Amino acid sequence: NEPPKSALQAAFFWFRVVLSAVVLCFSLAVTLEGLFTGNTTMWDGVPNAVAVILFFVLMSVVGLLEGMQIAFFAVAKLKKSERGRAPFALKTCELLFRGDGHNLPGFMIGRQLCVVSCFFIIARVTSLNVEPGNGNNIFGVSDAAQTFFNMGFLGAVITTILGSITWQLVASAFPLAFLSNPLVYVFLRICLFLEATGIASGAWVLAGLHKRVAGFQRDEVYIGTPEEREAKDLGDNKEVEHALAKLPGFTTMPEALIKLMSQDPSVKEFVRSMSANNIDINVADLQEHVKDLQLQNEEKV
């Protein structure tokens, strides 16, 4: 948790938020004006209304794929029992982590193919094609401003905020809820199909060479699977952290106490009992107890 912002920090934060919102709204207004008037690089013969629909649909598809990437990596380190009960979330995780787990990197390859395809069309949709000096400038801006609009930076702002970062932030905060969306499972299947076509299979070869040269190992080699970490009592214990937060004088868990709880179960039970029984104990008594346990552990060693 971050400490409360000062007045100056809060003012600077909200200034950036408002500035970003204004830039985004302006970029959308200019782009949509270009779409409705047919002044984009969209292919001839495509109706303006269809171009607008393609713009929002493809932006949503790219955003969904960006969020899927974040959500998949967020649940990769979770135990099966912690992946929720939503039917589509369970089906997605079962497919994603099936076998030796090759479907996760396979999804990354297929996802990239899908994103590149979408961006190819989005670039045509969002790029303005107005000749400066002919009196057709968007919103009647100067020729210099219209030249800047034609460079495509406004489309880049839209795709970055609406088609990428927003979805990633939501997926990182609520990965299981994100995976509960049936479209996630559908697009996972599509991405795996694209990977299976072999168009980008050269990535596997290059990745294998990189692994050999750098000597990479899977994370499980160093830290074990979630189930193995729990068996060794190395996982996060939210119950104990919550109990300690209730003790007088403590706002964060001391590192020494974390280490002792991982080594001595009696310390963990001692902290839990204080919270469960609502015992009023002062900080000095607790610290004295911790010192005694440390001495006992040192004598055992």
Side-chain angles (χ1 to χ4, degrees):
N1 294 328
E2 296 182 359
K5 293 182 174 65
S6 65
L8 181 60
Q9 290 174 327
F12 181 58
F13 170 79
W14 286 110
F15 168 76
R16 291 181 297 162
V17 171
V18 173
L19 177 62
S20 176
V22 170
V23 171
L24 174 61
C25 291
F26 179 75
S27 300
L28 280 170
V30 172
T31 302
L32 290 176
E33 174 68 15
L35 285 171
F36 281 116
T37 57
N39 289 319
T40 67
T41 57
M42 193 64 181
W43 295 283
D44 295 334
V46 178
N48 296 340
V50 175
V52 173
I53 294 173
L54 275 176
F55 170 70
F56 286 106
V57 170
L58 294 178
M59 203 69 74
S60 299
V61 170
V62 171
L64 182 68
L65 292 169
E66 294 284 347
M68 288 170 62
Q69 175 182 237
I70 300 298
F72 288 168
F73 281 102
V75 301
K77 305 303 179 184
L78 295 180
K79 298 180 296 182
K80 290 184 179 180
S81 60
E82 296 176 341
R83 293 172 183 167
R85 298 181 179 179
F88 277 99
L90 293 176
K91 290 181 65 175
T92 299
C93 290
E94 191 278 329
L95 175 61
L96 188 65
F97 304 116
R98 181 182 297 171
D100 294 331
H102 288 158
N103 280 351
L104 178 55
F107 158 77
M108 296 298 295
I109 295 176
R111 168 201 164 278
Q112 195 62 36
L113 290 172
C114 193
V115 168
V116 169
S117 302
C118 290
F119 271 132
F120 176 73
I121 301 176
I122 290 175
R124 303 283 301 191
V125 173
T126 59
S127 297
L128 297 178
N129 187 25
V130 178
E131 185 68 28
N134 293 335
N136 296 323
N137 294 354
I138 301 294
F139 297 145
V141 298
S142 64
D143 291 345
Q146 185 59 57
T147 301
F148 175 76
F149 291 169
N150 291 346
M151 296 176 69
F153 287 114
L154 300 184
V157 170
I158 297 172
T159 53
T160 299
I161 298 177
L162 288 186
S164 180
I165 297 176
T166 301
W167 294 76
Q168 291 178 2
L169 292 175
V170 172
S172 64
F174 312 103
L176 293 178
F178 195 91
L179 295 185
S180 300
N181 186 342
L183 290 177
V184 171
Y185 182 78
V186 173
F187 275 93
L188 173 58
R189 286 285 188 182
I190 293 174
C191 290
L192 291 178
F193 169 77
L194 291 175
E195 188 276 331
T197 61
I199 297 176
S201 292
W204 289 104
V205 178
L206 295 177
L209 292 175
H210 190 187
K211 174 187 174 182
R212 287 182 176 275
V213 172
F216 289 145
Q217 297 280 358
R218 289 179 176 267
D219 289 346
E220 288 75 11
V221 175
Y222 303 103
I223 63 175
T225 64
E227 289 78 11
E228 291 172 346
R229 293 198 300 273
E230 184 184 39
K232 296 178 182 178
D233 202 21
L234 297 178
D236 296 333
N237 195 322
K238 300 299 181 182
E239 179 184 353
V240 174
E241 290 182 12
H242 180 67
L244 189 64
K246 295 180 179 179
L247 297 178
F250 280 92
T251 57
T252 58
M253 180 180 289
E255 292 295 330
L257 192 52
I258 295 176
K259 184 176 181 180
L260 278 174
M261 284 192 294
S262 65
Q263 296 175 347
D264 192 340
S266 65
V267 179
K268 186 185 299 183
E269 292 301 321
F270 175 77
V271 174
R272 185 184 289 114
S273 66
M274 284 191 294
S275 175
N277 299 325
N278 195 25
I279 298 176
D280 185 14
I281 182 171
N282 58 46
V283 178
D285 291 339
L286 178 61
Q287 292 174 340
E288 188 64 29
H289 184 76
V290 171
K291 291 180 180 178
D292 292 340
L293 289 172
Q294 286 177 326
L295 292 174
Q296 293 177 11
N297 287 336
E298 290 175 359
E299 291 176 356
K300 291 179 180 178
V301 176

